[in-house]
Amino acid sequence: MMNSTTAPRSPEPAPSRLALYLDLIRWNRPAGWLLLLWPSLAALWIAADGFPGLHLALVFLLGTILMRSAGCCVNDVADREFDLHVKRTAQRPVTSGRVGVKEALLVGAALAFVAFLLVLTTNVATIVWSFAGLGLAVVYPYAKRHVSMPQAVLGVAFSFGIPMAFSAVNGGPVWEFFSDATRWGQRGFWSAVWHSVPTLAWSLMVANLFWVLAYDTEYAMVDRDDDLKIGMKTSAITLGNADVPAVIGFYLVSLGIWTAMLWDRVNPWVWGAMLTVALAQVAWHHHLIKDRARDGCFKAFRLNHWLGFTVFLGVVLGV
C-alpha cells in the first residue's frame, strides 16, 4: 500500500549573484532603456542629416543600456525604504536585502564607468556633457523627496541623450575643438562645449521632457495609493483629478514641438503618416488610463516605447 503522505518539497535554490544583478538592472524589462534609446537615436539621425555611422549608433545604443542599468542601481538604493511599502517593488534585490547597498552602488559604478569608456571614443565636448548627464541620473532618485513633480527632473535626465547626440556629431576631433575654443577667447573652452549643441537640440530635449512627463505620470498613477501612504511626491499626486487630461496634454505638446522643430527638415508626407500613427497611440493611452485602474495605467506606461519608436521611424524615413 502506497504511503499517502506527501513528501516535503525541497527549498528552491537561492538565485545566483548574476541573476540578482540582472534583476537589479531590470534586464528582463527592456522597455526602460528603449524609452531612453529612441529619442537619442532620433537626435543622432537629425544631427547627422541621416545615418550617423555605425560607431556613434553603437556608442549610444550600448551607452543607453549601461546608463539605464546604472540608474536602476542608484534608484533602488535611494528608494529602498519606500519600496518596502509598495507591493510592486517590495521584492527588488536591494529592498529585500538580497543585494547590499554598497554592492548595488559598486555594480552601478562599474556600469557607468564602462559607459564613460564608450563616451571617450567620441569627442571632448561630448565627454564634458556626459558629466552633466551622470549628475542628473544620480540626483533624480532623491528629487522624489523634495519636488512635487519629480517626473520633470526625470524628464531632463532621460532627455540628455539628445544634446549629447548633437554634440557627438558636431563636436569634431580634439584638435578642431581646441581650435574652436581658441576663437571663443577667454571662456573659449566652455563656449566651445556650449556651442557644440544647437538650439534645435535643446528644443527637442524640451519635447522629450513632455513625453517623459506623460509616461512617467502614467507610471506614478499605478502606485498613487501606496505613494500617498508613505509620503512620496509624484506628478500623479500633484495633478490629482487633472492627471488624465494632463497626460494627454503632455503627449500632444511633445508631438507638437517635434513637428514644429522638424517640419522644414523632414518629408511632410512621411511625418504626417507618423503623426497619424502616434496620435492613434495617444488615443489608445487615453482609453487605458481614463478609469485610473492600475493595470490599465501600467499597460499604458509599458507601451510607450512604441510611441518613441514611431517618432524615431518618422525621423529616419523623413530626413
Side-chain angles (χ1 to χ4, degrees), residues 16-166:
S16 65
R17 302 316 291 172
L18 176 60
L20 287 172
Y21 293 159
L22 292 176
D23 190 19
L24 175 67
I25 65 173
R26 323 277 202 273
W27 182 254
N28 62 335
R29 281 161 280 180
W33 57 262
L34 288 172
L35 293 172
L36 283 159
L37 179 66
W38 297 130
S40 297
L41 289 185
L44 272 179
W45 255 257
I46 295 164
D49 289 322
F51 181 57
L54 186 60
H55 167 239
L56 286 181
L58 285 176
V59 165
F60 277 81
L61 169 62
L62 298 176
T64 294
I65 296 173
L66 288 165
M67 284 307 298
R68 187 261 181 170
S69 300
C72 288
C73 298
V74 176
N75 184 79
D76 284 10
V77 168
D79 285 353
R80 62 191 185 280
E81 300 298 333
F82 292 110
D83 286 346
L84 275 172
H85 306 284
V86 180
K87 183 178 180 181
R88 184 178 55 81
T89 59
Q91 292 306 310
R92 285 178 174 174
V94 176
T95 306
S96 63
R98 293 174 296 166
V99 173
V101 169
K102 290 183 179 179
E103 186 178 8
L105 291 176
L106 283 172
V107 172
L111 293 169
F113 178 71
V114 176
F116 182 65
L117 293 179
L118 290 171
V119 175
L120 289 177
T121 69
T122 58
N123 55 53
V124 177
T126 309
I127 293 169
V128 175
W129 284 118
S130 72
F131 285 99
L134 176 63
L136 288 166
V138 172
V139 165
Y140 162 68
Y142 299 95
K144 289 176 272 189
R145 293 156 175 77
H146 308 290
V147 181
S148 60
M149 290 187 65
Q151 281 70 23
V153 181
L154 180 69
V156 177
F158 266 36
S159 303
F160 215 76
I162 293 175
M164 286 184 64
F166 275 83

Side-chain angles (χ1 to χ4, degrees), residues 207 210-212 214-215 218 243-256 258-259 273-290 296 299-301 303-308 310-311:
F210 276 99
W211 180 43
V212 178
Y215 68 65
E218 291 176 337
D243 53 358
V244 174
V247 166
I248 302 307
F250 293 151
Y251 280 126
L252 296 179
V253 170
S254 177
L255 291 171
W258 276 97
T259 300
M274 182 283 294
L275 270 182
T276 301
V277 175
L279 290 172
Q281 291 180 63
V282 172
W284 178 240
H285 279 255
H286 180 266
H287 171 75
L288 290 172
I289 69 173
K290 61 183 174 63
K299 183 177 181 180
F301 165 74
L303 288 174
N304 262 281
H305 66 92
W306 288 110
L307 184 57
T310 301
V311 174

Side-chain angles (χ1 to χ4, degrees), residues 150-235:
Q151 281 70 23
V153 181
L154 180 69
V156 177
F158 266 36
S159 303
F160 215 76
I162 293 175
M164 286 184 64
F166 275 83
S167 176
V169 172
N170 298 329
V174 174
W175 57 88
E176 286 185 11
F177 174 85
F178 283 103
S179 175
D180 290 341
T182 301
R183 290 202 303 270
W184 288 111
Q186 188 174 4
R187 294 188 174 182
F189 180 88
W190 296 111
S191 293
V193 170
W194 178 256
H195 284 88
S196 68
V197 180
T199 302
L200 174 61
W202 300 116
S203 300
L204 295 180
M205 182 175 172
V206 172
N208 198 68
L209 185 153
F210 276 99
W211 180 43
V212 178
L213 280 172
Y215 68 65
D216 209 52
T217 299
E218 291 176 337
Y219 192 54
M221 290 167 71
V222 178
D223 296 329
R224 178 173 10 218
D225 293 341
D226 292 324
D227 289 338
L228 281 168
K229 293 176 184 176
I230 60 180
M232 185 77 77
K233 297 178 185 292
T234 72
S235 56

